[in-house]
Amino acid sequence: MSHSFTNPLFLFLPMDYMFIFGSVIASGLVFVLVLYGSASNKRKSSVPSATTHAQSIKTSENGTWTPPQVSEGCDDIIIVGAGVAGAALAFTLGKDGRRVHVIERDLNEQERIVGELLQPGGYLKLIELGLEDCVDEIDAQQVFGYALYKDGKNTKLSYPLEKFSSDISGKSFHNGRFIQRMRAKASSLPNVKLEQGTVTSLLEENGIVKGVHYKTKSGEELTAKAPLTIVCDGCFSNLRRSLCNPKVDLPSYFVGLILENCNLPYANHGHVILGDPSPILFYPISSTEIRCLVDVPGQKLPSLGNGDMARYLKTVVAPQVPSELHDSFIATVEKGNIRSMPNRSMPASPYPTPGALLMGDAFNMRHPLTGGGMTVALSDIVLLRDLLRPLRDLHDSTALCKYLESFYTLRKPVASTINTLAGALYKVFCASPDPARKEMRQACFDYLSLGGVFSQGPIALLSGLNPRPLSLVLHFFAVAIYGVGRLLVPFPSPTRMWIGARLISGASGIIFPIIKAEGVRQMFFPVTVPAYYRTPPVNLQN
């Protein structure tokens, strides 16, 4: 069921009123949820009280930061994993003068089908870390926004980049090439050791992580020790269970193809097809290659071996592919180079553990539909770097652990906005036989097609340029209110009113469980969390 406004005045003026009305409703709902979350957190929180001084990062007397003095012959930090998070973190901490030992299972270039699109907000973090040259010499492509397709119609959504220099944009590339560039840059530092090996377990003494047990490439079993171990071993982490409460959800799989010798309808844009049963993505990963990701909902894929997957792609997916890409899509399927990987989501639920910290996908995952994973990881690295900079000594594990509890709170507004957007958009973009869900999906497409604040606001959230939780909630419910308005014009009927009520209820049922999992208080009001005010321990600054 789909309705459109035919009165030009109603098309423009009421949209503003609907947006304001939706914002008021959403604000009220958020307020109620915040009260609930605050009461719940008071009962459940295990965070001890802390100093009420404002969070500060101290510098030297002349206002500049100087690297810490490190002792000879020992590591300051062990990093498990050298993917995007691990390699970037190794370079960042090594550049700050830390002695870093990185242990990575396989240092060869990997071919992955995700982690290939870095949003503009993530690229700004890459620049802040001094790693922007890692997208050079790998045939990376600029991305300026998205094209959204539904039922034969399409709309272009551009990133709000007007205030930035011309080189600021999204970046898309082969993930393996990007990681190899970062590994090379990290290992070029004399105080960073990059070693191939498999970490088998954490080394713990009296509840404090002292390092890791690992096997070298040759099979030799060794132990590495350091005051701080940072686990970045990815979405399949075998170490996270002792450091967090992993509640991993697997909503779907991505099936990946690489299309060659064809052009996207909108150059330098990602393309999202609101297909049936779920979205289909296209974006460039080199000057001659286009990545296609087909989302397959559920926890079971059609078999690759007996041809079921190829049949599914040809009969179900191909008819929904834009005509400009159709022939290349069929040719690629027939070649048979089809890969897949599970799409996982996992809210961050850490156990503060002396001597250890989780980062990257080992710590927090969201559906990769919006390409926000690398932005979250790089943002976390910038934050952790700034928290560690005042510390000269990391050996007091208990004091360090208590101080780094602030990391989990300070990261929440940015990370939770990107996580919530990914989860909510995936559910809205998936097809459903439910009339209310159909209306929500159509309302989202039409809302974004309006342009102006209606498209720029959501795209600023998606791009990581404006990751504000309240803005996300307001736009989400503005879409829902817009959908209700479409149903009630020109004449409301009991059926339409019922669908409208279910649309609002369904929208709440999509976003509020995600927000609750992320943590209402930490997401919207981190300043009310005691850990927000942790200051660097004096004994670790000397």
Side-chain angles (χ1 to χ4, degrees):
M1 184 181 297
S2 178
H3 311 284
S4 60
F5 298 115
T6 57
N7 186 331
L9 291 176
F10 197 81
L11 178 61
F12 292 99
L13 292 178
M15 289 307 95
D16 294 333
Y17 295 140
M18 282 184 191
F19 182 73
I20 294 169
F21 181 49
S23 299
V24 171
I25 289 179
S27 299
L29 291 168
V30 169
F31 180 70
V32 171
L33 193 56
V34 167
L35 290 180
Y36 169 78
S38 297
S40 176
N41 278 333
K42 285 180 180 178
R43 292 191 299 270
K44 297 179 182 179
S45 176
S46 61
V47 179
S49 60
T51 178
T52 58
H53 294 123
Q55 181 71 39
S56 62
I57 301 299
K58 297 183 179 179
T59 58
S60 60
E61 292 181 2
N62 63 2
T64 60
W65 179 82
T66 54
Q69 297 296 317
V70 296
S71 57
E72 292 289 338
C74 67
D75 295 323
D76 294 304
I77 296 172
I78 293 170
I79 297 176
V80 181
V84 171
L89 185 62
F91 173 77
T92 300
L93 298 179
K95 190 174 65 171
D96 278 0
R98 309 284 182 189
R99 291 187 181 275
V100 181
H101 183 184
V102 186
I103 304 172
E104 161 60 32
R105 182 182 58 82
D106 189 350
L107 289 174
N108 295 311
E109 182 176 325
Q110 303 297 306
E111 185 63 39
R112 299 185 66 206
I113 65 171
V114 293
E116 297 173 318
L117 198 156
L118 180 63
Q119 298 288 359
Y123 183 59
L124 289 173
K125 295 298 180 183
L126 201 69
I127 293 172
E128 195 172 343
L129 294 172
L131 288 164
E132 67 273 19
D133 57 345
C134 291
V135 298
D136 297 338
E137 300 178 10
I138 60 172
D139 201 14
Q141 302 297 297
Q142 285 190 295
V143 177
F144 297 110
Y146 285 86
L148 194 60
Y149 285 70
K150 185 180 186 298
D151 299 333
K153 298 180 180 179
N154 66 82
T155 184
K156 188 171 78 167
L157 310 170
S158 298
Y159 293 137
L161 299 172
E162 297 81 7
K163 297 180 181 179
F164 299 96
S165 59
S166 60
D167 64 311
I168 302 300
S169 66
K171 304 287 181 179
S172 54
F173 38 68
H174 281 268
N175 174 269
R177 297 175 188 175
F178 178 56
I179 290 176
Q180 291 301 95
R181 289 277 290 172
M182 287 201 293
R183 288 173 178 174
K185 191 155 185 177
S187 61
S188 69
L189 299 175
N191 50 319
V192 174
K193 177 185 178 183
L194 196 59
E195 181 180 8
Q196 183 162 310
T198 302
V199 174
T200 55
S201 64
L202 298 173
L203 172 63
E204 294 189 48
E205 296 177 8
N206 301 319
I208 298 174
V209 174
K210 297 288 188 178
V212 297
H213 298 290
Y214 71 104
K215 287 184 179 181
T216 65
K217 186 178 179 180
S218 61
E220 184 180 4
E221 296 186 0
L222 297 177
T223 297
K225 293 185 177 183
L228 180 61
T229 298
I230 304 177
V231 176
C232 307
D233 57 344
C235 61
F236 301 106
S237 172
N238 64 338
L239 302 177
R240 67 160 69 100
R241 287 194 174 277
S242 59
L243 302 175
C244 74
N245 179 23
K247 297 178 181 178
V248 180
D249 183 34
L250 200 161
S252 66
Y253 282 79
F254 263 158
V255 175
L257 307 165
I258 295 180
L259 279 57
E260 298 177 327
N261 304 316
C262 62
N263 296 313
L264 288 165
Y266 294 92
N268 299 105
H269 281 70
H271 290 58
V272 182
I273 290 83
L274 302 189
D276 187 356
S278 53
I280 307 162
L281 308 181
F282 295 91
Y283 53 88
I285 56 173
S286 75
S287 56
T288 60
E289 298 166 303
I290 294 170
R291 168 67 72 192
C292 170
L293 293 175
V294 177
D295 185 85
V296 180
Q299 300 187 4
K300 186 176 181 181
L301 279 172
S303 172
L304 284 167
N306 64 12
D308 285 351
M309 177 60 76
R311 259 188 307 275
Y312 175 83
L313 294 173
K314 286 181 180 180
T315 59
V316 176
V317 178
Q320 305 178 74
V321 171
S323 58
E324 298 91 333
L325 302 171
H326 181 271
D327 291 347
S328 182
F329 179 85
I330 293 294
T332 304
V333 172
E334 290 177 347
K335 286 181 182 177
N337 188 15
I338 303 170
R339 304 190 63 190
S340 66
M341 73 163 292
N343 293 327
R344 297 165 178 255
S345 62
M346 183 185 77
S349 301
Y351 301 139
T353 305
L357 195 69
L358 275 170
M359 295 280 286
D361 283 350
F363 173 45
N364 183 205
M365 294 180 284
R366 77 291 309 147
H367 196 285
L369 172 69
T370 57
M374 290 189 288
T375 299
V376 172
L378 295 171
S379 178
D380 283 352
I381 291 168
V382 169
L383 174 59
L384 182 62
R385 176 200 66 183
D386 293 343
L387 288 171
L388 290 178
R389 273 187 166 177
L391 308 184
R392 301 287 184 255
D393 183 4
L394 305 178
H395 283 83
D396 188 337
S397 298
T398 302
L400 180 62
C401 177
K402 188 174 182 180
Y403 169 58
L404 288 181
E405 285 180 12
S406 61
F407 167 76
Y408 299 123
T409 301
L410 293 169
R411 71 180 293 274
K412 269 294 181 180
V414 172
S416 294
T417 300
I418 293 172
N419 295 345
T420 304
L421 178 65
L425 267 188
Y426 177 69
K427 291 184 178 181
V428 170
F429 281 0
C430 284
S432 171
D434 180 9
R437 288 287 296 272
K438 284 183 178 180
E439 286 292 342
M440 185 69 178
R441 194 183 194 216
Q442 185 65 47
C444 186
F445 179 84
D446 290 344
Y447 180 90
L448 293 172
S449 300
L450 291 172
V453 65
F454 306 104
S455 64
Q456 289 182 359
I459 292 300
L461 289 164
L462 185 147
S463 65
L465 295 172
N466 182 33
R468 297 182 181 179
L470 188 56
S471 178
L472 167 62
V473 173
L474 296 185
H475 277 287
F476 188 80
F477 278 98
V479 170
I481 296 299
Y482 176 60
V484 173
R486 294 170 68 256
L487 285 165
L488 301 185
V489 172
F491 301 108
S493 68
T495 300
R496 292 179 183 179
M497 292 174 67
W498 173 243
I499 293 175
R502 290 188 59 243
L503 193 157
I504 295 293
S505 174
S508 301
I510 287 173
I511 197 168
F512 284 156
I514 302 173
I515 290 174
K516 186 179 178 183
E518 290 291 330
V520 179
R521 188 180 175 194
Q522 294 89 339
M523 184 172 174
F524 290 96
F525 296 104
V527 294
T528 67
V529 180
Y532 183 87
Y533 299 99
R534 299 284 159 84
T535 55
V538 174
N539 64 316
L540 298 183
Q541 297 182 63
N542 301 323

